[in-house]
Amino acid sequence: MPPAQISQPILYAFPSPSDLIDSLAKFIIKVQKDAIDKKGRFTIALSGGSLPKQLKGLIGHQDIKWDKWQVFYADERAVPLDDPDSNHHLCTTEFYSKTKIPLKNIHTIDPALLGDLEELADSYEHQLILQFASKDSARFPVFDLILLGMGPDGHTASLFPGHELLQEADRWVAYIENSPKPPPRRITLTYPVINHAAKVAFVAAGEGKQDILHTVLDEPGEGLPSSRVRPVQSGQLYWFTDEAAAKKTQYSRTEFRIPM
């Protein structure tokens, strides 16, 4: 079997953070519409950090069918769901509480399993199996969209530079108990899942991202975790940035258009 083809990333650099937020919303709405028209549901994985605030362009929009959304997490911290460190708590505060996504469509970790990371990861993987395995025949789940952030060290989700999880090739969800960024105990989607998504979009804004964005896009051979996100087959990777973040990046920019 020939190796899967990998497309090149598409870089959008917007004049301001508000332009980024508006364009990201238009992008998500179109991806959502296409997914619902094709199969009656929209599967998306969210990250924490600054990402939930950057989804505010979706709030109150009439073209969103919230009841068709199935929301998962690219990674989650092994803490109670109402803990300030929880990605679910952050997304609830900044995003879900302002939308009409049914609670049953938001797939969280099982708080009863926080004491056993392996069971916690297995349980979350089982949720993915229930959502995808009976509907899709692929070896790995195929999300319609995965939204990612990028840390100052180039990490994404809970995939950190030099960590053994960068080599995980079989599991859908893996656990980490020695994260270099607190809290140390987490679960994360693995590269096979991220790279089998139909679309993956990084969101990076602000001058604090200049150096790491330059390394990730201009020097992918450095092998930073964010550089390793490269969707296979017909998947596509997008970078939504502002000019402040992209100032040092030599990678060619693309004029933003709603995906066909």
Side-chain angles (χ1 to χ4, degrees), residues 113-140:
L113 301 176
L114 290 175
D116 189 321
L117 281 177
E118 186 169 6
E119 284 195 26
L120 188 69
D122 287 346
S123 170
Y124 205 67
E125 184 168 300
H126 184 64
Q127 290 195 53
L128 289 173
I129 291 170
L130 291 176
Q131 181 61 222
F132 290 95
S134 62
K135 305 175 180 69
D136 306 305
S137 59
R139 166 72 175 83
F140 295 99

Side-chain angles (χ1 to χ4, degrees), residues 18-244:
S18 61
D19 290 320
L20 186 163
I21 287 169
D22 291 345
S23 297
L24 179 63
K26 292 175 182 176
F27 173 85
I28 294 172
I29 290 167
K30 179 60 164 61
V31 176
Q32 170 224 236
K33 180 182 185 303
D34 291 346
I36 294 171
D37 287 349
K38 182 177 180 180
K39 51 188 172 52
R41 76 191 200 280
F42 173 52
T43 55
I44 182 171
L46 301 181
S47 302
S50 61
L51 180 70
K53 288 185 178 180
Q54 292 165 322
L55 299 178
K56 63 184 180 182
L58 296 170
I59 296 168
H61 205 289
Q62 295 182 343
D63 292 333
I64 300 179
K65 298 180 179 179
W66 297 115
D67 62 315
K68 303 296 185 184
W69 284 45
Q70 295 291 334
V71 185
F72 291 83
Y73 292 101
D75 70 320
E76 181 58 288
R77 289 83 179 274
V79 296
L81 297 179
D82 59 355
D83 190 287
D85 282 330
S86 163
N87 284 342
H88 175 70
H89 176 73
L90 177 63
C91 287
T92 298
T93 302
E94 299 291 345
F95 183 52
Y96 304 145
S97 62
K98 304 169 186 176
T99 75
K100 296 181 180 179
I101 302 175
L103 289 178
K104 64 183 178 63
N105 293 7
I106 301 171
H107 302 272
T108 70
I109 59 171
D110 183 349
L113 301 176
L114 290 175
D116 189 321
L117 281 177
E118 186 169 6
E119 284 195 26
L120 188 69
D122 287 346
S123 170
Y124 205 67
E125 184 168 300
H126 184 64
Q127 290 195 53
L128 289 173
I129 291 170
L130 291 176
Q131 181 61 222
F132 290 95
S134 62
K135 305 175 180 69
D136 306 305
S137 59
R139 166 72 175 83
F140 295 99
V142 179
F143 277 92
D144 297 310
L145 178 62
I146 295 179
L147 294 176
L148 298 173
M150 175 180 62
D153 59 352
H155 86 266
T156 191
S158 283
L159 299 166
F160 292 91
H163 197 277
E164 61 186 14
L165 282 187
L166 302 186
Q167 310 305 323
E168 176 60 52
D170 297 313
R171 296 201 56 168
W172 292 13
V173 180
Y175 67 88
I176 176 173
E177 51 193 350
N178 57 348
S179 164
K181 177 182 178 183
R185 303 171 74 252
R186 302 158 174 246
I187 64 167
T188 183
L189 298 183
T190 60
Y191 280 121
V193 173
I194 294 172
N195 285 333
H196 275 80
K199 291 180 172 61
V200 180
F202 277 95
V203 183
E207 61 182 15
K209 302 291 187 181
Q210 285 181 6
D211 291 331
I212 195 63
L213 185 62
H214 161 67
T215 302
V216 166
L217 284 176
D218 297 333
E219 302 173 4
E222 293 292 318
L224 289 175
S226 293
S227 296
R228 297 176 183 231
V229 175
R230 299 296 292 273
V232 299
Q233 300 169 347
S234 59
Q236 182 61 60
L237 172 62
Y238 302 85
W239 282 86
F240 282 77
T241 73
D242 60 4
E243 287 292 351

